[in-house]
Structures are given as C-alpha cells and as structure tokens.
Amino acid sequence: MIKRAIILTLILNSIILIGVPAGHGYGIMIMFEVISIPMLIKNGFDFQKEYPFESSLILIALISLIGKLISIAILFSKNILDKLKWIYIGLTLMLISFLIVCYGAWNYDNFLFAITFGSGIPFLMYFGRVLYLINKEKHKSELVTE
C-alpha cells in the first residue's frame, strides 16, 4: 500500500505545471528534470541576475529529480519501513522543490502561482497519504511487538 502511494506521489509530482514568466509558456516538472542534467553539464550553475526564477528552475528540477531517484530506489527494498529516513528525504526534496517553484511563481504573477499550486494539490494530497500510511504501519508494528 505504501509503495503504491509513493509511486502515485512520484507521478503526481512529475505532472506539476510550471509557468515560466515572460511569455515562455508552461511545462511539466519532469520536462525540467530531464533538461536539468544536460543544461548543468553544459553551462554549470549559471545564474542570470535578470531572470532569477528561470535560471533557478534548472537547480530546482535537479533537487526534485534527486528526491525522485531516492524514492524510486526505496521501492526496490523488501521491507520499506526499514528505510524511513530515505523515504522522508526523498519526499522532502520533492516538497521543497514544489514549494520553491510556487514561491517563485508567486513573486511574478498570481495567475502563474494559481496554475502551479493548483496542479500540485494532488501531489500534496498523496504526500500526506504516504505520511499517513507510514504512521499507520509504524503504529501497527509497535502494537505487534508489545
């Protein structure tokens, strides 16, 4: 049950819409994650002062990608409750990247923020569901050992 919820959390985080200011349109989180690796190899950590949000999107996508890779690696574990620290780290990295994207969109435009945050609500719901299921399983295992 926890593994299924983690998979859905990964998928819902991947389809969060990110609005790029200055008329460049929208993209989904996974698109920025795929672009982030070649861009960082080619340009390094290059921050432009004129467009701080657009240039930080690559770094934000990399943080989200690291969180997803950690969560995917956890899915191959036999007993997932033994890897709770890693689950929390992966989920936290995905949540931090989502919050930073929302904050950056808030600074530019309310409509951009509404689209980004609105498309992230299902991710937040499943994020809470994963935490609920982990807490439920931990509580169940504590009752068995007593």
Side-chain angles (χ1 to χ4, degrees), residues 22-127:
H24 294 295
Y26 294 93
I28 57 176
M29 181 73 84
I30 193 137
M31 181 183 78
F32 287 103
E33 292 169 356
V34 170
I35 292 171
S36 70
I37 296 173
M39 289 289 290
L40 285 174
I41 291 171
K42 182 180 175 186
N43 299 334
F45 292 106
D46 181 32
F47 292 105
Q48 301 168 356
K49 292 183 180 177
E50 310 88 52
Y51 307 108
F53 181 61
E54 289 93 338
S55 61
S56 66
L57 278 177
I58 301 300
L59 185 61
I60 294 167
L62 184 66
I63 292 170
S64 178
L65 181 64
I66 291 169
K68 285 180 185 165
L69 292 176
I70 290 171
S71 297
I72 289 170
I74 292 302
L75 292 174
F76 294 106
S77 174
K78 284 242 184 223
N79 190 359
I80 199 161
L81 290 177
D82 292 339
K83 311 283 187 195
L84 282 181
K85 284 189 261 183
W86 289 106
I87 292 173
Y88 291 143
I89 290 171
L91 290 174
T92 303
L93 289 174
M94 287 188 288
L95 181 66
I96 287 171
S97 65
F98 171 67
L99 293 176
I100 292 173
V101 165
C102 284
Y103 178 73
W106 178 270
N107 286 337
Y108 275 96
D109 186 29
N110 288 339
F111 184 72
L112 236 92
F113 170 75
I115 295 294
T116 303
F117 186 75
S119 66
I121 289 175
F123 161 70
L124 292 175
M125 291 171 53
Y126 259 88
F127 179 85

Side-chain angles (χ1 to χ4, degrees), residues 13-30:
N13 183 273
S14 296
I15 60 172
I16 292 173
L17 283 174
I18 299 174
V20 181
H24 294 295
Y26 294 93
I28 57 176
M29 181 73 84
I30 193 137

Side-chain angles (χ1 to χ4, degrees), residues 1-2 80-81 131-143:
M1 195 77 149
I2 295 174
I80 199 161
L81 290 177
L131 296 179
Y132 169 76
L133 289 172
I134 288 172
N135 190 24
K136 183 177 161 186
E137 287 296 320
K138 277 178 35 179
H139 184 67
K140 190 186 305 181
S141 65
E142 287 173 1
L143 290 177

